[in-house]
Structures are given as C-alpha cells and as structure tokens.
Amino acid sequence: MSAFGPSGAAVIGVDGSGRTWRATALAQLPGGPVVTIPARCDAATAARLLDVEATVTVLFDDAHRHDDDVVLAVTRALDRGGRVIMSRRPGVPSTALAALESAVLGGRAPLTTEPLTRGEVSSMPAAAERDDLDLVLFRSGGAAWLVAAMLADPPRADPPLADPPTVGPALRAAVERRLADLGPDDRALLTLLAVAQDQATVVEPRSLGALLGVSANHAGLGQRFAAAVGRIRLAGVLPAGWRASERLMLPPAVADVLLGDLSSIDRSVAREALATGRDFLLDSALAAAADGRSDQVVTALGSAGDPGRSVLAVPAMVGLGRTGDARGVLSDLVAGTTGRDPAILLATAVAGIADATPRTTVRHLIAAAEAREATPALDLDSPHALGALVAVAAGDSATAARLLVAAQTGMVGGEHLARRHSLLLDWVRLRSGISHSGISHSEIPHLGGGTDATVAATLTAARPVEGSTASRRDRFVATALAVGRARRSADVLALRTCWDRAGNELARCAVDLFAIELVEELVVAAARLDNHRHARDMMETLQGYAVDAPALWRCSLAWIDLQVAVVDDDAESAESAAELAAVASATASAGPRQRSQAVAARVWAQALAGRVSGDEVIEAVAGLVTDAELPWEAGRLAGQAAVRTTDARVARRLLERARELTSSGPGRPGDAAAGSVLGVGGMSEREIEVATLVLEGRTHREIGVQLYISPKTVEHHVSRIRSKIGARTKAEFVAALQSLVSSNHAP
C-alpha cells in the first residue's frame, strides 16, 4: 500500500534523522500551492495562513511541537479537501494529533526514516569531490544531521585510530546543540558509552543502569534510566533506526566529540566505573568537588531526580548562588528521613544561610560537623571545612580553628580531605593574625610547618588521579595562602614570584561563594601587581553568583572592591564600595563582622578622600580587630589615615595604633609590614615602593626591573611623589622622603 495518498502522508523519525527533508520533498510532489506552518505558530496565524480558496498542500513539520489549536486548524484545512504532509517524533501523539494523522493516512502506513544510504549521501551537493564518504557514513551511523555536519567540515586529516580524534567545528557545534537539551542523567550515560566504546567494551543496559545508581527489577530498567535512553533516542543521538531491543552504541562521530570534551580526570573516573561497577555519578561528583568544580557537582547529582543523592549537591548549589534550588531539594526529601543524617544536616545549614545570621549558620554547621564525626558519610566537602569558611566570614576564627582541628583529629573525609583541612587551618591563622582563644599554636598544625617551600610544593603538585595527593581545590587554597603571606611581608619580588607560579593554576580554577575570602587574597595581590585579568574573571564569576546571596557574601564582595580601591588610591571607587557594604550590612541576616566592615569601609573611603576623623578611625579599627578579626587590614587603615590627616596629634595616635597591629600576631614581619601599611605623605603602596628604592639610590631602569614596570612608569610615579610632598629640588625631594620614612619607623 502506498505511503502517499489523496489526503497526504506522515513521516515519523527521531530528531536529525531527515524527517523534515523527506516531508519537504513529499510536499512538492502533488503540485499546486504549498502552505508551510511555521515553528512557534499560534492558532490565529495558522488559521490566517490556511484561509485560502484554492486547494493547498499543508507542510506541517514537527507536528508534535504544536498546540492542539494549531492541529485543529490544519485538520479543518484537510476537511476542505486539502492535503497534509506532516512529520513528528516517534511516540504516542495527542488525541488531536492522532485524529489528524489517522485522517491523513486513511489506513496507510506512515513513512519511517531509515539511516541514509551511500547513494543518498553521495547525491548531496556537499559530497561532491569527497573521497571519504564511506568513513562519513560509518562514523555518522547514517544519521542525516551527523552526515550534514561532517560534510560541512574538511575531511579528517588523522588516521582512524587517532586519540583524540580530529573533530571539526561543524560536527562539534551540531553535537553540542543536541546535548544542550539533555539532562545530567543523559550526559552521564553518553559519557559512559563513549568511554566504553573507546575501550572497545560493549556494556549491557542493565550494567549501565547500575553505574548511574539506577536499580533494575524484574520488569526491566529503572524508570530514570529508561527515560534517559528515551530522550537520547528522540534527540537523534543514538544511531538512526536504533531499536529498544538493541545494545546501546553511539555513532562514532558523537563519541569522538564527547571524548574530546572529557578532562583526564573525568575519563579516569569513567574507566574506573566501567571496570569496577562503581557508581559513576557519585564518583564524578567526588572528582568534581576535589577539582573545585561546583557546577559539575550539581550536574552530576543536583538534578538527578533523586533527593537522597541531590542533597549531597546542596552545598555546591548554595556556593553557586542557587539557594532556591537547594531549598527545593530539601523540600523533596521524604518526611522523617532527616534525623541526624550528616548530609541532610549540612544541607539544611547551608540552605538556610540566606536568612540566618552568619553566627547562627555557624552553629548549625557545628551540629552537622558533630554528626559527621559520629557517623561515617560520603564527603564531597566536610561540614568542618565549610563551617570554617563561614566562621571566618562571621568573624569567629577560634571556631573555625576548632572545627578544622576536630576534622584532623577524627580524620574526617579520609586522606582526600586531610590536606584541605590542614591548608585551611593555616589560612585561618593568616587571615585572623591572632592566637585563637583556647587553642595554642602547637594545637594548630601547619602544612609541613608552614614553610614557603612546602607551599610551593603544594602549588606544583599534580592531581590525585595522576598520582598526587594534592587536588586542584587544595592547590587553590595553597595559592591564596602563599600569595597572602607574600603580600603581608611587603616583599614585592616574593609576591611576583608567587603570582607567576600560581598563574597557570588561577587560569583554570573554578570558584564559588564559599571561597570568597580566599579570592580576596588573590584579587588584592593582582591589584598590587597591576595584573587584573584572572582576578577580574574570578570577581565577575562571584558577582554573578551573588545576585541573591546572603549579606555576609555580598559584604565580602564590597570589601574586596574596597581593598582594590585602596591599592589603586581610588577614592571614588572606595566610596562606591563603601555604599555597597552599607547596603549589605543593613539586612537582617548581617552580623557584627559585616557591620564593622561597612563602618571601616566608610571611614577608609573618607580617608582616601582626605577627610580623617581620628575618633572614627580608632573606632573602625577596633571593630575590624574585635568583630571582623582583620588586624592586618585594621593596621593598614590606621596607617593610611595617619598620613592623610593634617592634625599631628591624631597622626601620632594613629601611627602608634598601626605599629601595634602590624608588628604583632603570628608571622608578622613588623618593620616590613609597617612600611606597607603606613604609607608616606598620602602615597599609594606602589609609590611607597618606588620612593623606598629611590632612597636606596636606584635608577629608574633598576627600579623598573625590580618592580616589573617600565622606566617611564617609574618616572611617572616619582613625579607624583614629588608633587605630593611639595619638593622643588632633588635635594629637597630626598630629604623629605628620609624625614617621613624615619618618622614612620621611629619607636
């Protein structure tokens, strides 16, 4: 029986199988006018297009995507004697679409798309003068969309077994468009299939289901796995003509693209899962967490439709600013399952961070940490590490240290989190700059004693999968730690060395809101070195996450902006940052640290603009020391305000306070730090560095070499310094500098 009759024809096929091409060709056969129903058409538009007296042929492509009102308008055109050429995906259509299709076919069978033949491929215009059509046909599996993409690219230049294979831009773009509409389960399944085929391994569907955490029963595969296979099939990613009874195999061209996009760590995880039967999604989430890729943690677990697994991704969701999604996961958990489950306690604590004050959140994280110590659990990150990061943002470094010491004592998270806890503990000490109440320094172990050599070794270590114990997340913390130490030592050469060593790491790092205080170290160092590129990328990422973020993170972002403005001696930008900090600190979820930072930001901005109130500065400094636990920053505020006031008594008072703060605390190199924070005659930090070298008798060229700037830039800085101190001759210039510097360092 003919597939084309008086009423038209129906073409059924998965996406990309050529159904549109076949339907369009059929629409030209009867002759007469053809009316095409466009995509995203409404009923009124369809009725207007079909309101013609002549008998027409209606091309109704992708009929499954249209509303029933549009389907009924096409049905009325058929009733008036027209013909309809329709196409749709496989599957049971709606009642209206089923009725239309029945009327069109009149008892005939629909056309189903099949893989393209070599003859059909060779007849395509793009195939002219190609001598690789057999390879194109094999690697595409005959899928029309893949054939078209591969013919749009030049012929492959590498041998068939090249690893990784060459993938042309048209093929990559075509596959990425298909994958964009698929979910995390679908992509995980495709990844496993691609790696299995790369190893010449055929995996049974039941085995794949188990690797994705889906249990199979006597009735077949779990619903999630079956749904993933169905979506992949309808998207045309499986070979054209694939049947449910067949084993899952990808067209080689699709596998090529997937393999080319996999990092070495992802490919290793997939191979391990295939070899051992381990849960691929959980292992992928663990690897992504260690790599600092919160977005991929969420992709692996956060949208899997399984609240028991998704709850593990809640901290990553919150770190990406997706607090609403995190709450949705918690609301989907079955009532009564919470109890003392560490993962649920941790998820509940971080999901409530937007509404609770920082100190309340810390208390909840302490409860999660205690539950974790009592119960073995899977750790993407520990409640101790996250609790420490939030505690620092709450101005409670003693609690941060206790959490990390407890994690080390109890070996929470095993070996893969041991280094993280140690590094964070070192960083807490650096950040707070003070001894922690109730904890002696001997109780706070350091990474290899905290030596620069050990930090350097951590920075250059490889990934865990490649034989090292240092993950990228650990190397990021070590980078911030090394840069922070160099910055506080006022040693520009050491800071430049640290930054150069860390550059490659920063270019590849992924950050989230939990890492915001670590990012501050790097961003401010970048401003010191006039190297804003990586820092700008990190800040833009965090600002995108922080649109609906809680007060502690929005205030931290404003504080980073302020610190950059201070380095740049930019009073206008400092004023803007102070305004943002004031808004963030005024919310109900703000704590004492945020309010103290907002006050200090306002006072600092005023000082940069030349308006110094000694009492306000002293009060702001006290808040930074007591509530914010930022003594080094407090010293810088006091010192910079001192050199900008015209009141000698106030200047002496502020300078004394600055020296107290910059010459005390663990690891504080008193004189060097004092020189960094005190400033001279209202000069910026870079101008202080230039002035110091001028006093040593260095030439502009020598200064430029040491500070990594041009001699012309040095000349510009010297001119500004001369203007600020009012020197008219070289002798006056040198004498004024010597006088100011000696007064700054006087006992």
Side-chain angles (χ1 to χ4, degrees), residues 173-421:
V175 173
E176 287 175 349
R177 282 196 298 271
R178 300 277 163 172
L179 299 183
D181 295 329
L182 298 177
D185 276 3
D186 313 338
R187 297 182 72 97
L189 172 57
L190 291 170
T191 298
L192 285 171
L193 285 172
V195 173
Q197 289 176 211
D198 184 51
Q199 296 179 291
T201 303
V202 177
V203 186
E204 293 289 344
R206 282 180 180 271
S207 300
L208 283 170
L211 292 171
L212 294 170
V214 179
S215 60
N217 53 40
H218 68 280
L221 299 176
Q223 291 183 350
R224 272 179 47 223
F225 180 65
V229 174
R231 287 189 296 269
I232 291 170
R233 173 176 173 259
L234 292 178
V237 179
L238 288 172
W242 180 84
R243 301 290 183 265
S245 60
E246 298 173 345
R247 284 175 170 169
L248 292 169
M249 295 288 288
L250 294 178
V254 173
D256 289 348
V257 175
L258 288 166
L259 290 170
D261 289 343
L262 286 180
S263 67
S264 60
I265 190 170
D266 292 325
R267 193 180 295 203
S268 296
V269 170
R271 286 173 176 164
E272 181 72 13
L274 290 166
T276 64
R278 289 175 59 90
D279 189 319
F280 172 64
L281 286 176
L282 284 175
D283 280 1
S284 295
L286 280 167
D291 219 26
R293 299 174 298 174
S294 295
D295 55 339
Q296 295 191 31
V297 171
V298 175
T299 297
L301 298 178
S303 305
D306 180 356
R309 296 159 68 87
S310 298
V311 73
L312 298 173
V314 165
M317 292 178 181
V318 174
L320 297 174
R322 295 167 54 177
T323 307
D325 292 343
R327 289 171 174 162
V329 170
L330 289 171
S331 68
D332 289 340
L333 286 170
V334 178
T337 60
T338 56
R340 294 287 295 172
D341 183 285
I344 296 176
L345 285 174
L346 175 59
T348 303
V350 297
I353 201 169
D355 301 321
T357 64
R359 290 183 178 176
T360 299
T361 300
V362 170
R363 286 199 299 272
H364 293 160
L365 286 166
I366 291 172
E370 290 172 346
R372 171 61 186 83
E373 291 165 21
T375 307
L378 174 69
D379 293 305
L380 301 181
D381 200 356
S382 71
H384 303 72
L386 295 176
L389 290 168
V390 176
V392 169
D396 188 358
S397 60
T399 294
R402 288 192 182 93
L403 281 168
L404 294 168
V405 168
Q408 291 183 317
T409 302
M411 285 299 293
V412 172
E415 186 65 28
H416 84 280
L417 286 181
R419 189 184 295 269
R420 175 163 173 77
H421 294 142

Side-chain angles (χ1 to χ4, degrees), residues 91-106:
V92 179
S94 67
T95 301
L97 189 56
L100 172 62
E101 186 173 302
S102 178
V104 167
L105 292 174

